[in-house]
């Protein structure tokens, strides 16, 4: 690429197409500009109008999600969402995707995904206190899967561990639909005071625009555009568009930002994430209804002869853009230099509502801001609803395996095997406030210096979303609600990461519309609004899309952490109850998929949102009243798998008196919890359920080192633990 404006390549139809723009979109750009754009201006429009930055295929439907509530301080539209958790404290959180980069270069792709989401949170003034992730890989037997798992897990652990923020939870699934396009969704939660929250809007004509952090290189150029295109067989050639992360520099950047934020010098601040300097400057100026002038000669670069195009589009990591109060530059510079970071005044705010960029004494871009920020086309893509699935034909003779064999099959499967191999590589206890880390329904993190805690979780069941997007969307939100409720915490709000295939295919767009309809209904019914999120489309390779995967990140608050409960049996002689009714729904179940080896999905279990709310409130109430010793929501694998998950951590078994068929034990009916009640409180528990009108069923009692089901099944927990714990290490040890 040439170094100067005079030597830039001419803008041709081919160049427009290479930048991911359609002919109609290019015509819109010309109309907005009043002339043909030059090469640099074309690059700026291409990243700002990419799917990743503009949400042009999804904006119409995102507007239908509920985003308000008395607990919401800041909803979608900022770097992260903000909720009030009482006592002047705020939780700031968001989830984002780094799917395409992680498939191409798993270590750096995952690492920079973690770094980017943490910057989104501490840009708002928060100190990150918890990281989570939601990972989807291809079939375990696929030749790339172990390599991708190893790289992604190392990248997440390497970045999070080095910066000193605990990784406290998440989820990992395997399915052949992700063979050519894995999903790496990163979530971060931070804490701030409600009177010290920082926003992106830049105001004050003449205020200095300041660049801080690492130097700019050529890594990540057109990363946002790559994230907005599907893969093909040549995807490995896109390796140069994967950024390189440095967690030690990010730690310095975090501390320097926190120090400056303690003053009143900052007017606005924005992370340089997707589309780098371009998006951060455009978004800050547009939100403040001002213009911006940049001098790229001032940008700290680590490579020589970088063009203006490259500097504007680079996605080098660990960088921020700030607008300071005039006269505070020296004070800020001293702080960042003391932390060993670059600091440069690269421009100023103007009253033009334009983005004007100079480089090497030449004007290389002069563009109206509003079309860049909000002027991307908003597509109303054609869509077709996903056809309903017929119920599965599960005749009595289909259940060839006995209960014990079926349970062992499931607990040792790729879906239900222990993820310990993964989360033992993450530091979940650093900072000293993790009360419950990976392996529970939701992680619990103390609000430092207080007696309250945040409950955080990530959830979605993609096979449900594939079979019935609306019901799958409801279930994803409802399960996050259940997982938080199972700790005793009150669910407050969600973030999301909406991973789908190519929206230009009507059946894929139908999945998106259906899932959002379901999510919206659940959020409204559960008072669980959406405060932030991300959309990741074009997740497919050679025309084959992933399963629809709208990952939900839920956050709640536990007012008194001393009342928290876990999901494991810790004592003998606990009475075990099911909260909620069991109909034995096997459609879309892991039992149908793994034990019966059925290819057909069948309909997913229906979600009753009224019951979800009522049961969640009841469970939180009995936990708050000290009646429950342990609680676990019932999800994948049904009741028997949930019992096994409660028994395995401390090898405390149970004896179940009730009889049931395979559908009863493995059906995945929603809205249910398993609750362990001490002998001296079970009468109070039963009275509370009767008064609340909640259906409960006593299953049996804890004790021993075996699972015994109505004299028809006895399984050694030691034997089950071997199968449950060994699957993941065996996968990684034998195929790497």
């Amino acid at each position: 690429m040439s170094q100067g404006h005079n030597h830039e390549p001419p803008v041709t139809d081919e160049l427009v197409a290479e930048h991911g723009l359609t002919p109609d979109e290019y015509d819109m750009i010309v109309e907005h500009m009043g002339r043909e754009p030059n090469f640099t201006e074309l690059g700026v429009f291409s990243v700002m109008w990419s799917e990743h930055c503009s949400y042009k295929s999804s904006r119409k439907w995102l507007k239908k999600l509920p985003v308000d509530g008395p607990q919401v301080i800041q909803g979608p539209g900022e770097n992260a969402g903000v909720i009030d958790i009482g006592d002047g404290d705020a939780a700031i959180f968001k989830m984002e995707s780094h799917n395409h980069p992680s498939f191409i270069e798993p270590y750096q792709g995952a690492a920079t995904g973690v770094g980017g989401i943490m910057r989104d949170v501490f840009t708002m003034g928060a100190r990150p206190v918890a990281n989570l992730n939601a990972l989807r890989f291809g079939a375990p037997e696929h030749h790339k899967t172990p390599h991708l798992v190893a790289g992604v897990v190392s990248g997440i652990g390497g970045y999070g561990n080095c910066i000193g923020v605990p990784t406290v939870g998440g989820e990992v699934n395997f399915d052949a639909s992700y063979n050519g396009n894995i999903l790496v969704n990163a979530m971060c939660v931070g804490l701030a005071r409600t009177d010290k929250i920082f926003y992106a809007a830049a105001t004050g004509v003449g205020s200095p625009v300041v660049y801080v952090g690492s130097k700019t290189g050529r890594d990540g150029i057109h990363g946002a555009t790559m994230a907005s295109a599907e893969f093909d067989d040549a995807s490995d050639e896109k390796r140069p568009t994967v950024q390189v992360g440095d967690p030690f520099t990010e730690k310095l950047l975090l501390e320097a930002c926190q120090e400056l934020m303690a003053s009143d010098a900052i007017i606005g601040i924005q992370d340089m994430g997707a589309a780098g300097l371009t998006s951060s400057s455009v978004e800050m100026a547009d939100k403040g209804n001002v213009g911006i002038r940049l001098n790229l000669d001032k940008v700290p670069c680590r490579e020589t002869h970088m063009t203006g195009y490259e500097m504007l589009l680079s996605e080098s990591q660990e960088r921020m853009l700030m607008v300071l109060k005039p006269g505070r530059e020296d004070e800020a510079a001293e702080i960042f230099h003391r932390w060993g970071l670059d600091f440069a005044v690269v421009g100023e705010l103007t009253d033009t509502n334009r983005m004007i960029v100079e480089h090497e004494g030449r004007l290389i871009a002069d563009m109206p801001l509003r079309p860049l920020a909000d002027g991307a086309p908003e597509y109303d893509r054609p869509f077709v609803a996903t056809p309903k699935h017929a119920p599965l034909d599960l005749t009595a003779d289909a259940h060839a395996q006995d209960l014990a064999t079926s349970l062992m099959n499931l607990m040792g499967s790729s879906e239900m095997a222990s993820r310990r191999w993964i989360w033992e590589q993450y530091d979940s206890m650093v900072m000293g406030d993790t009360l419950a880390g990976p392996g529970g329904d939701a992680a619990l993190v103390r609000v430092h210096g207080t007696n309250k805690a945040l409950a955080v979780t990530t959830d979605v069941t993609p096979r449900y979303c594939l079979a019935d997007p609306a019901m799958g969307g409801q279930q994803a939100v409802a399960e996050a609600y259940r997982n938080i409720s199972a700790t005793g915490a009150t669910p407050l709000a969600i973030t999301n990461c909406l991973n789908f295939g190519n929206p230009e295919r009507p059946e894929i767009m139908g999945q998106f519309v259906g899932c959002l309809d379901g999510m919206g209904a659940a959020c409204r019914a559960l008072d669980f609004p959406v405060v932030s999120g991300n959309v990741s489309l074009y997740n497919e390779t050679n025309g084959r899309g992933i399963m629809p995967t709208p990952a939900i990140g839920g956050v709640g608050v536990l007012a008194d952490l001393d009342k928290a409960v876990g999901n494991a049996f810790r004592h003998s002689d606990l009475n075990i109850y099911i909260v909620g009714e069991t109909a034995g729904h096997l459609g879309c179940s892991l039992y149908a998929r793994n034990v019966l080896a059925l290819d057909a999905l069948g309909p997913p279990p229906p979600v009753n949102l009224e019951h979800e709310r009522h049961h969640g409130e009841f469970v939180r109430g009995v936990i708050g009243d000290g009646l429950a010793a342990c609680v676990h929501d019932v999800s994948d694998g049904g009741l028997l798998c949930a019992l096994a998950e409660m028994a395995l951590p401390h090898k405390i078994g149970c004896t179940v008196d009730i009889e049931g068929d395979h559908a009863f034990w493995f059906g995945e009916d929603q809205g249910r919890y398993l609750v362990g009640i001490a002998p001296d409180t079970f009468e109070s528990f039963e009275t509370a359920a009767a008064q609340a009108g909640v259906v409960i069923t006593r299953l049996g009692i804890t004790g021993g080192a075996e699972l015994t089901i109505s004299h028809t099944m006895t399984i050694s927990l030691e034997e089950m633990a071997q199968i449950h714990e060994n699957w993941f290490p065996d996968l990684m040890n034998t195929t790497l």
Side-chain angles (χ1 to χ4, degrees), residues 578-584 611 615 664 669-672 694-697:
I578 312 168
V579 174
E581 295 187 73
T582 299
H611 286 175
H615 295 172
F664 177 84
D669 305 272
Q670 299 295 293
R672 296 180 299 163
V694 171
V695 174
I696 60 170
T697 305

Side-chain angles (χ1 to χ4, degrees), residues 222-393:
H222 269 298
T225 307
M226 179 196 70
S228 308
E230 61 185 83
F231 279 155
D232 54 30
D233 292 330
S235 292
D236 283 346
E237 297 171 8
K238 297 177 180 175
R239 198 173 299 269
T241 60
V242 178
Q243 310 95 318
V244 177
D246 180 354
F248 299 106
T249 298
E250 178 130 334
K251 174 65 172 173
L252 300 176
L253 184 60
L254 165 62
E255 298 302 337
C257 286
Q258 293 271 315
E259 184 173 341
L260 184 60
M261 285 169 169
S263 74
D264 63 347
I266 299 173
I267 295 174
I269 180 170
Q270 177 79 30
D271 165 43
M272 289 194 220
L277 182 57
T278 289
S279 64
S280 54
S281 55
V282 167
E283 289 170 14
M284 291 181 77
D286 181 70
K287 286 176 180 175
N289 194 30
V290 293
I292 190 166
R293 178 184 291 271
L294 298 174
N295 182 354
L296 299 186
D297 296 344
K298 306 291 187 182
V299 172
C301 293
R302 66 167 184 262
E303 300 183 50
T304 59
H305 305 301
M306 287 191 70
T307 65
Y309 177 101
E310 290 171 329
M311 280 187 265
L312 285 171
L313 271 59
S314 167
E315 294 183 7
S316 295
Q317 296 290 287
E318 294 85 41
R319 302 179 301 158
M320 295 280 199
L321 201 66
M322 296 181 180
V323 173
L324 300 181
K325 292 181 178 177
R328 308 297 289 272
E329 297 93 325
D330 290 345
E331 172 190 345
E334 188 278 327
I335 291 173
F336 283 91
H337 288 152
R338 178 158 37 83
W339 284 98
L341 298 165
D342 277 287
F343 176 98
V345 178
V346 297
E348 64 179 7
L349 300 185
T350 70
D351 61 359
T352 64
N353 292 108
R354 298 183 72 82
M355 180 183 186
I356 296 172
V357 186
E358 298 167 340
H359 184 225
E360 296 178 343
R362 288 187 293 271
L363 180 68
I364 65 168
D366 183 352
M367 316 172 70
L369 277 168
R370 185 50 54 88
L372 288 170
D374 294 320
E378 180 179 311
Y379 290 124
D380 186 1
R381 303 275 191 198
F383 68 90
V384 294
T386 301
K388 299 292 185 184
H389 287 258
L392 297 176
D393 180 18

